[in-house]
Each structure stands twice: as C-alpha cells, then as structure tokens.
C-alpha cells in the first residue's frame, strides 16, 4: 500500500513563496498528473515528496508513514528528473541497472529487469552504448527505464517524455500508462502538456501560481472547470468567455443574445468550449477573422462583440475572413464564472 498524502505543504525560497498550503492525497495505485504552466511549482512539489527539497511547513506521508524527515533513499520511491540525469560514462545497461546493483540484486535478476524495461522504452538495441553518446530523447528513455527497473511502490516523474518527437511521445505515453497500471505503482507525473495529462491521468491536479486550483478526473476538469484559470488552460483551444448581464429570472444577455443561466443578481462571465458551438439560425453573431483548416475540423477565430472567440466547425464548411457566422452554444455545455472570485457558479 503506497498512498501519498501531502498535508499543508508550503515552500518559500527567501521572500518568494513557490507553494502555498498544498493538500493532496494520491490513492494507492492512482496515477495523478500535476499540470500547470512553467514556474507554477510542479517540480518543487515533486522534489518535496521525493525528499530532495524540504518543505517550509507541512507534512508528507507515504504508505501511512510520515516521511518528511527521511532521506530520499528511505522513502520507497523512484524518480525521473526533469533533466534526466544519466551517467555518461556508463553503458545504457549499467545506467538502467544502477539502482538494482546498489540493492545488490543477483546478476540474472538485474539482467531480466534491465532487458524488460529497456524493451518497454524501445531502447533494447542501445544497451551496449555509452549514455554520453545518446540523443536527448534516448537518454530520457534510459532515465525512465532506470526508474521502472526499480519496481518501486511510488514513482515520481517530471516531464519524462518532453524530449521525444510527437509520434514517439504518443506511443510512449500509452506504454507508460499500461506499464504503471500493470505494476500497481502509485504515480505522480508532472507535465505542462494538457493532452498528455488528459490521456494518462486518473486524476489531474491543476496548479496555478503555487496553488492547486482543481483536482479531479480528466473529464470533470474538461467539462466542469472549477475556476476560470482551469477553463482557460484545459482544452485546445481553451474555453471562450463573454461578459453576461443579468436580466432577472435567470435570464442573461450575452453579446445581444438572451440565454438561460443561474439565478443571481450580479454580473457573470459566460463560457463555452469552441467544440460546443454549432452553426444555426439564431445565436451569437461572430465575424470570422482567421480560418485554420486542421484536417479533422476547421478552427475559426472570430470577433464576437469585440471579444476574441473560437469555434471548431466542420472541415467542409466554406468560410472566409469577414464572413458573419451565427453560432449557437450547446445549452447543456454553457458554464458561468464569477468575475470577482473567478470560481465557477452552478
Ligand atoms: N532553488 C530555488 N531558489 C529560488 N527559487 C526557486 C528555486 N527553485 C524553484 N524556484 C522558483 O519556484 C517557482 C516554481 O519552480 P518550479 O521549478 O517548481 O516550477 P515548475 O512548475 O516545475 O516549472 P517548469 O514547468 O518550468 O519546470 C519558480 O518561480 C522558480 O523560479
Ligand atoms: Mg519543472
């Protein structure tokens, strides 16, 4: 059992606060992704769990045991670093087997595990090469294989696929997900790639400026973002926003249209995903500005009442800059945010 509990963790570097009161429980065998923009504190939080950084306040528990006073080697974890430190003067085989040798495992067990994890990461043909001779993407896969070979209860991975090309990255993310699910490992995985987060995670923890804004399943984060930041970060392209003025009785004026919404007297923001808009006879009047054919669909960037607005439409649609489109938002997909608190309003 390797549940991870992060309790009230904060971290300051001098006068700068990198993490504010982080509370997160990762269930045994759960795969949690920390997602957020550069500098939001992902690596710092992972290093605190690993024991490579000390929290200013707060506690870390692994498998029901408080570990924040323990050195990294006594926490039962393996970590893949953002800068994937591998030993250049060792072969790929010896790099992957390094931790196993330290644990004094028998040679045939080392060989079995090294070959298995190298195969998973598609680097079995490189086992005899010196790691200093490898490309960045190959070295990164050596680092992942080395962590997997330890068969740890907990694995912490910091952008482990960032140096791979798009195709290999897509293949590796599926493999990694499969391997970790099979091996009953509890995982925290850091990325700023939302597609990777959506596709791999049991739960996504969205971070912003040193805080967790929402921790929920990928579909929940996508459908019901808890805050404007999440709505504007998740999705490609992210949600559209427009100011909404209350008309009374749960009716709202949005860019000249009247829509049903929450019962509250204060002004809100209307939000809709670009893929939840349809061409219709009645709806928002949008002037097309930029048309991007993306193969499977057409991405149209428009102007709605002076606001930037994007719609994902059928790729067969014939539209040119300057055309006016009437876009109807799918009513059950409309979301509302309070501009003061930036939180979602039910
Ligand atoms: N040792 C340090 N001393 C001072 N500030 C630091 C230190 N380590 C991190 N920081 C600051 O803390 C903040 C969070 O850094 P962190 O490395 O956790 O970000 P991140 O979310 O991993 O970003 P990225 O996606 O770019 O890797 C940043 O503003 C960073 O400059
Ligand atoms: Mg980082």
């Amino acid at each position: 059992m390797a549940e991870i509990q992060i309790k009230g963790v904060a971290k300051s570097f001098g006068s700068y606060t990198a993490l504010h009161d982080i509370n997160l429980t990762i269930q045994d065998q759960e795969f949690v992704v920390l997602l957020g923009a550069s500098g939001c504190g992902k690596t710092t939080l992972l290093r605190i769990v690993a024991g490579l950084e000390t929290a200013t306040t707060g506690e870390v528990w692994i498998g029901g045991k408080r570990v924040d006073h323990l050195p990294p080697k006594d926490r039962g974890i393996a970590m893949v670093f953002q800068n994937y430190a591998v030993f250049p003067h060792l072969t790929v085989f010896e790099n992957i087997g390094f931790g196993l040798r330290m644990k004094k495992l028998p040679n045939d067990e080392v060989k079995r595990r090294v070959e298995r994890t190298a195969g998973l990461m598609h680097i079995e043909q490189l086992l005899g090469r010196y790691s200093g001779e490898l490309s960045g993407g190959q070295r990164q896969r050596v680092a992942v294989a080395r962590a997997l070979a330890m068969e740890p209860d907990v694995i912490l991975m910091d952008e482990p696929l960032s140096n791979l090309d798009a195709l290999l990255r897509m293949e590796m993310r599926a493999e990694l997900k499969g391997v970790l699910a099979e091996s009953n490992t509890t995982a925290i995985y850091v990325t700023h790639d939302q597609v990777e987060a959506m596709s791999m995670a049991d739960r996504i923890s969205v971070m912003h400026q040193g805080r967790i804004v929402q921790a929920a399943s990928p579909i929940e984060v996508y459908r019901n973002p808890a805050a404007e930041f999440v709505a504007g970060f998740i999705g490609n392209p992210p949600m559209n926003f427009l100011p909404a003025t209350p008309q009374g009785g749960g009716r709202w004026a949005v860019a000249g249209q009247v829509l049903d919404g929450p019962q509250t007297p204060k002004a809100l923001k209307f939000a809709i995903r670009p893929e939840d808009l349809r061409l219709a006879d009645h709806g928002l009047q949008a002037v097309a500005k930029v048309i991007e054919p993306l193969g499977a669909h057409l991405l149209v960037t428009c102007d709605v009442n002076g606001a930037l607005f994007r719609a994902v439409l059928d790729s067969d649609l014939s539209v040119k800059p300057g055309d006016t489109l009437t876009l109807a938002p799918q009513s059950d997909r409309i979301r509302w945010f309070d501009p003061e608190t930036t939180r979602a309003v039910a």
Side-chain angles (χ1 to χ4, degrees):
M1 287 290 286
E3 179 190 77
I4 306 169
Q5 287 174 289
I6 300 167
K7 299 184 186 178
V9 163
K11 176 70 184 176
S12 300
F13 295 106
S15 61
Y16 178 74
T17 306
L19 295 173
H20 306 260
D21 190 30
I22 301 284
N23 291 285
L24 183 66
T25 297
I26 296 111
Q27 307 294 328
D28 180 42
Q29 301 180 32
E30 194 180 16
F31 191 121
V32 167
V33 168
L34 301 181
L35 177 68
S38 186
C40 72
K42 305 179 295 296
T43 297
T44 304
L45 183 57
L46 211 61
R47 286 172 58 84
I48 289 171
V49 175
L52 300 165
E53 195 80 74
T54 334
T56 308
T57 56
E59 299 173 6
V60 177
W61 293 64
I62 297 176
K65 200 168 86 180
R66 188 168 173 185
V67 297
D68 40 83
H69 57 284
L70 296 179
K73 68 173 176 50
D74 297 336
R75 296 190 184 196
I77 53 172
M79 179 158 174
V80 181
F81 297 93
Q82 190 166 12
N83 53 10
Y84 51 90
V86 295
F87 306 114
H89 57 284
L90 293 183
T91 61
V92 169
F93 187 103
E94 289 307 325
N95 258 293
I96 299 176
F98 190 82
L100 308 176
R101 298 261 193 238
M102 299 287 281
K103 281 173 76 176
K104 307 220 175 337
L105 291 193
N107 276 338
D108 53 345
E109 177 65 5
V110 173
K111 185 164 181 292
R112 187 189 68 79
R113 291 209 206 173
V114 169
E115 284 173 356
R116 192 182 74 90
T117 53
L120 290 171
M121 300 314 291
H122 300 196
I123 47 172
E124 61 272 48
Q125 74 288 1
L126 300 176
L127 285 172
R129 293 263 297 271
Y130 284 99
S131 299
E133 301 168 352
L134 303 178
S135 76
Q138 290 167 335
R139 252 179 271 176
Q140 197 163 35
R141 280 179 283 159
V142 172
V144 176
R146 184 173 57 193
L148 292 176
M150 297 298 286
E151 299 180 359
D153 291 336
V154 173
I155 191 163
L156 308 176
M157 286 177 280
D158 197 350
E159 309 261 11
L161 306 180
S162 60
N163 277 47
L164 307 184
D165 62 70
L167 199 61
L168 189 56
R169 195 175 167 137
M170 197 160 75
E171 206 176 308
M172 289 283 124
R173 81 176 185 228
E175 299 246 0
L176 254 186
K177 184 178 170 168
V179 174
L180 293 175
E182 252 172 51
S183 62
N184 306 328
T185 312
T186 308
I188 309 182
Y189 186 104
V190 164
T191 182
H192 57 255
D193 179 340
Q194 45 149 329
V195 179
E196 205 165 278
M198 294 288 291
S199 71
M200 295 182 87
D202 292 323
R203 207 147 49 103
I204 300 179
S205 171
V206 184
M207 292 182 67
H208 181 47
Q209 296 177 345
R211 290 190 164 83
I212 293 176
V213 191
Q214 184 172 15
S217 69
I219 193 67
E220 181 68 11
V221 165
Y222 173 81
R223 283 269 186 262
N224 297 311
E228 231 181 285
F229 173 78
V230 181
F233 190 77
I234 302 267
N236 186 21
M239 274 187 147
N240 294 302
F241 300 98
L242 288 171
T245 321
Q247 308 291 294
R251 307 283 283 164
W252 294 82
V254 177
Q257 285 295 296
V258 178
L259 300 167
D260 289 328
Q263 297 268 9
T264 159
K266 50 191 231 175
L268 295 178
K269 265 190 196 175
F270 156 95
I272 188 81
R273 292 213 171 271
E275 49 274 37
D276 295 331
L277 291 159
R278 299 283 171 275
L279 288 178
D281 294 333
H282 301 284
L284 304 163
Q285 298 302 299
V287 180
K289 296 283 180 203
V290 181
I291 291 108
E292 297 170 75
L294 300 179
H297 50 253
L298 200 64
L299 175 60
V300 185
T301 303
C302 324
D303 178 304
V304 173
N305 244 7
L308 174 84
F309 209 79
R310 293 194 189 89
V312 168
L313 301 172
D314 192 293
S315 53
D316 291 331
L317 180 73
S318 154
V319 55
K320 54 185 190 312
D323 287 357
T324 298
L325 305 173
T326 304
L327 300 173
Q330 193 179 318
S331 54
D332 60 337
R333 295 286 164 82
I334 296 173
R335 298 292 176 263
W336 304 88
F337 293 93
D338 181 337
E340 272 171 33
T341 63
T342 79
R343 306 297 297 181
V345 178

